Amino acid sequence: MDLLDDHLARARASGAVFARTVAEPPWGLRLAGSIQLAVHAVVRGRGWLWLDDPGSAWELSPGDVTLVRGGPDHHIGHEPGADCLEPEEFRARHAQDGRSDDPRATVFLCGAYRFSGDIGSGLLEALPQVLPLSAAVGDPVRDVVALLSRELAAPEPGRPTVLDRLLDILLVLAIRTGFRRSATAPRWYRASADPRLSAALQAMHENAGHPWSVPELAAISGLSRAAFARTFRDVLGQTPMQYLTDWRMTLARDHLRAGELSLTNIAGVVGYGSPYAFATAFRRHHGDPPGVWRQRESARAGAAPGDGHPAS
């Protein structure tokens, strides 16, 4: 099992919106912080991205990709501090720019990704607020951006499927590169490449409901019990059983939010012999029994605002 792929699949990452825009200067676009993960790429020309302070702006160059995590609003413009419009007003203002042959025009792509649950939140929180990725010639990121631009510029049958696949590829490439560079990458990501721990981690993720023990996990790893326990704590900052319990609770919270399984089924999936044993463990971790927790989360989700959308 690939742990990054497992996290992305469980987070149910999906390309909510993706658009190709042509804009003649002056131009500027404001995007809401409610977008969980925004993806930006310039195909032609130049652009700038900033949060609250235009003095701390990132240049967007052709072929590069920038990820922006939700939180504060962010802005994209022909220059730092440009007047920025809301998406609907921006679309109306620049509706005819695509027919222009103005060499100063910028062609850029904006996407918005949605994640769900604690696993998705964990992936997002491991990323910096803004992650610029410079793609060298030959980097597959450049190829994906070019394919996205062509697909958006000339609609063909089956385009939604093609865009979904390209967005998935772009997201994986970007997160993988970001985690490799980041000192705050999740510990499980670094540990998944450690030959002393990868097999045990994969086993716990593949079958969280199995009654794992430290000796059994050590045997999978080809280490003595003491060496495995020591290495695991050094790399992941907690014991194997603490990690397993945290992972089981993360899965349980996402199952509770989804509302698709009964408490009895959730208990079995995450490794507890009875709903009572599961409820006891869950209350110990969260202060409330799982049923109460699920009701509160459902009420909170119903009151949450929707995601913002990029220009199209």
Side-chain angles (χ1 to χ4, degrees):
M1 175 186 288
D2 180 324
L3 293 194
L4 177 58
D5 183 65
D6 181 50
H7 276 70
L8 287 169
R10 292 182 186 277
R12 292 180 292 280
S14 61
V17 183
F18 211 87
R20 179 182 187 271
T21 300
V22 181
E24 295 180 1
W27 61 271
L29 173 65
R30 187 192 73 83
L31 291 164
S34 58
I35 300 173
Q36 288 183 304
L37 184 66
V39 183
H40 301 295
V42 168
V43 178
R44 189 183 77 219
R46 286 292 189 276
W48 293 84
L49 183 148
W50 65 96
L51 301 178
D52 296 326
D53 180 12
S56 300
W58 292 265
E59 186 175 9
L60 306 178
S61 301
D64 297 344
V65 173
T66 302
L67 303 185
V68 184
R69 189 161 49 84
D73 294 349
H74 64 280
H75 310 77
I76 306 173
H78 72 285
E79 64 182 13
D83 289 337
C84 291
L85 306 176
E86 298 295 324
E88 288 187 9
E89 188 178 355
F90 180 90
R91 284 194 292 268
R93 176 77 59 86
H94 296 281
Q96 304 303 316
D97 289 5
R99 300 183 177 89
S100 169
D101 57 2
D102 187 337
R104 300 175 303 153
T106 299
V107 180
F108 63 98
L109 311 178
C110 290
Y113 250 89
R114 289 195 182 106
F115 291 80
S116 67
D118 283 6
I119 297 174
S121 297
L123 282 172
L124 292 173
E125 289 166 4
L127 295 171
Q129 191 68 59
V130 178
L131 176 62
L133 301 170
S134 297
V137 175
D139 191 310
V141 168
R142 281 182 174 262
D143 298 330
V144 176
V145 170
L147 285 170
L148 278 167
S149 180
R150 285 200 292 272
E151 195 67 27
L152 287 162
E156 295 283 350
R159 183 174 78 158
T161 300
V162 173
L163 290 177
D164 282 347
R165 300 302 182 272
L166 291 174
L167 283 167
D168 286 342
I169 293 169
L170 182 61
L171 181 66
V172 172
L173 291 175
I175 289 180
R176 191 165 63 189
T177 301
F179 281 177
R180 275 202 303 261
R181 296 179 182 176
S182 174
T184 61
R187 289 190 173 198
W188 59 259
Y189 182 81
R190 296 195 297 270
S192 68
D194 189 325
R196 301 169 298 174
L197 300 174
S198 59
L201 282 172
Q202 289 170 10
M204 284 189 275
H205 279 253
E206 283 181 347
N207 190 0
H210 182 78
W212 296 109
S213 66
V214 173
E216 186 177 11
L217 292 168
I220 290 173
S221 300
L223 298 173
S224 70
R225 183 186 188 282
F228 172 73
R230 182 177 60 253
T231 302
F232 198 101
R233 179 182 278 278
D234 289 346
V235 175
L236 285 125
Q238 56 186 164
T239 68
M241 292 300 101
Q242 287 172 333
Y243 180 90
L244 178 61
T245 299
D246 285 351
W247 177 238
R248 285 170 168 171
M249 290 296 109
T250 298
L251 293 176
R253 290 192 299 272
D254 282 356
H255 283 306
L256 287 167
R257 283 195 185 95
E260 298 168 353
L261 299 178
S262 68
L263 294 184
T264 300
N265 288 334
I266 294 175
V269 168
V270 299
Y272 293 91
S274 70
Y276 176 77
F278 168 58
T280 300
F282 194 91
R283 184 195 291 270
R284 187 184 308 122
H285 275 74
H286 303 92
D288 288 316
V292 173
W293 189 92
R294 174 156 57 186
Q295 290 175 357
R296 187 177 66 248
E297 289 297 305
S298 296
R300 183 180 300 169
D307 286 344
H309 299 284
S312 59

